[in-house]
Amino acid sequence: MSFSSESSRDLSAFAWLSVGAAVVTISLKYVAYEVTGSISLLSDAMESVVNLVAAIVALLALKLAAKPANSRFPFGRSKAEYFSAALEGAMIFGAAALIMFTAIGRLIHPVEVDQLGIGIIISLIASAVNAAAGFILLRAGKRYTSPTLIADAKHLFTDIVTSAGVVVGVGLVAITGWSQLDPVIAICVALNIIYVGITLMRDALAGLMDVALPDDENQVIIEILNSHAQENCISFHGLQTRVSGHERYIKFDALVPDLWTVKQGHDFAESLVREIQQQLSDAAVTVHVEPINDPESYKDIPQGYIPLKKM
């Protein structure tokens, strides 16, 4: 028997926030570049362009994920969020390559930069916008278990770290007068962006390949099942879990006394489902009830099951 705690939710309003933040920060950072001529500030603006494209893709993915299940997609479309996160990671690589190409050109042919103080102030304002939007997105992503919102938030926080590095570097250029330091900073920014892109794509691909729930969540399930286990009377095996967007899928076998009626087994399974769903939201729980003394009950344990012991 399988039960799902909640239907799909439309989280696209948060993506609109990300779109708005990206438009504002792109505008501010490009103005900073025009004022100063700093390639570091330009690289910061280019990363924000990636933020904008990623936010638009996230908006489409969240709209798709919110559509209800039907006969063609009986488990819904929650995995659309992983495609958004993977695409965002891929776009980050493109931005990093463009930044490095431009920065290397500046290393070969240095260009003087000026009015750096104004550029730094504008960059700090843009970072404040990103910080506010990132905090809201991360909180919503954790609350609704949305990989798209979490990926977007992490990208915005990375943008803040990038901007901080750029501000420090541009400040050093202003102090030392060494213009070649500007493209060196831009290359460091690109390398940091590549690291974030690898992380985003790794997490997205894990979700597409049905990665198990985090260890702490699996432990919650194990503790609930073990609290109901009774020697030679009730036991459990074959626990399997997986993540699909904001949804959790949980499956296990409940071995109960041979003489229990169908209603007793059904009521016991329902009580387990409710208890798990009280601890883990958006959980679809499947319980297979089997007689504990029947040898056949021990022949269907799946590969990759999670042992019911403390992790």
Side-chain angles (χ1 to χ4, degrees):
M1 55 193 68
S2 180
F3 304 83
S4 183
S5 60
E6 295 186 31
S7 59
S8 296
R9 292 163 299 201
D10 189 348
L11 303 177
S12 58
F14 294 104
W16 280 114
L17 170 64
S18 184
V19 170
V23 170
V24 171
T25 54
I26 288 170
S27 302
L28 289 171
K29 291 178 180 181
Y30 188 75
V31 169
Y33 162 69
E34 285 290 334
V35 169
T36 63
S38 167
I39 190 64
S40 297
L41 292 174
L42 176 61
S43 69
D44 209 9
M46 289 165 61
E47 185 180 5
S48 292
V49 172
V50 175
N51 287 351
L52 175 59
V53 177
I56 293 172
V57 173
L59 175 63
L60 297 175
L62 289 169
K63 281 288 188 184
L64 183 60
K67 290 186 176 182
N70 57 27
S71 58
R72 181 172 175 78
F73 298 98
F75 293 99
R77 303 169 176 83
S78 58
K79 282 194 175 183
E81 293 198 48
Y82 292 119
F83 288 103
S84 170
L87 182 58
E88 184 169 351
M91 287 188 295
I92 285 176
F93 291 135
L98 186 56
I99 291 170
M100 293 187 76
F101 177 79
T102 307
I104 291 171
R106 281 289 182 92
L107 274 175
I108 299 172
H109 304 289
V111 175
E112 294 295 326
V113 293
D114 55 11
Q115 300 189 67
L116 294 177
I118 297 175
I120 288 174
I121 292 172
I122 296 173
S123 183
L124 289 174
I125 294 172
S127 294
V129 173
N130 275 340
F135 177 77
I136 294 171
L137 291 176
L138 184 62
R139 186 172 62 177
K142 290 182 176 179
R143 178 181 178 184
Y144 298 113
T145 321
S146 169
T148 296
L149 294 181
I150 291 174
D152 226 5
K154 286 183 177 180
H155 194 177
L156 288 176
F157 287 137
T158 301
D159 201 10
I160 295 169
V161 174
T162 298
S163 296
V166 168
V167 166
V168 172
V170 169
L172 290 174
V173 172
I175 294 171
T176 64
W178 186 33
S179 58
Q180 284 186 316
L181 183 59
D182 186 42
V184 170
I185 295 165
I187 292 173
C188 293
V189 168
L191 293 175
N192 181 59
I193 291 173
I194 290 172
Y195 172 76
V196 174
I198 292 172
T199 302
L200 288 177
M201 293 195 71
R202 181 195 63 197
D203 293 345
L205 292 175
L208 289 172
M209 296 175 68
D210 288 333
V211 68
L213 295 180
D215 287 346
D216 59 334
E217 295 185 6
N218 284 328
Q219 189 58 42
V220 168
I221 302 167
I222 291 171
E223 290 177 357
I224 290 173
L225 297 184
N226 285 338
S227 70
H228 290 277
Q230 302 174 20
E231 188 174 357
N232 300 322
C233 184
I234 296 174
S235 66
F236 305 93
H237 64 216
L239 174 62
Q240 292 179 297
T241 66
R242 67 182 178 92
V243 180
S244 181
H246 64 83
E247 297 173 345
R248 300 171 169 91
Y249 288 91
I250 302 162
K251 177 182 176 294
F252 57 87
D253 295 344
L255 289 83
V256 303
D258 298 12
L259 298 180
W260 271 19
T261 64
V262 172
K263 179 171 174 36
Q264 285 177 298
H266 175 267
D267 290 346
F268 179 62
E270 278 200 325
S271 69
L272 292 172
V273 170
R274 286 193 297 268
E275 193 170 348
I276 292 171
Q277 290 178 342
Q278 285 173 358
Q279 298 294 321
L280 301 174
S281 62
D282 295 314
V285 186
T286 301
V287 185
H288 182 206
V289 179
E290 299 180 302
I292 194 168
N293 291 314
D294 187 346
E296 294 295 323
S297 300
Y298 300 89
K299 294 181 178 180
D300 60 348
I301 300 177
Q303 291 184 345
Y305 71 93
I306 300 169
L308 293 173
K309 60 183 179 181
K310 188 173 182 59
M311 302 180 70

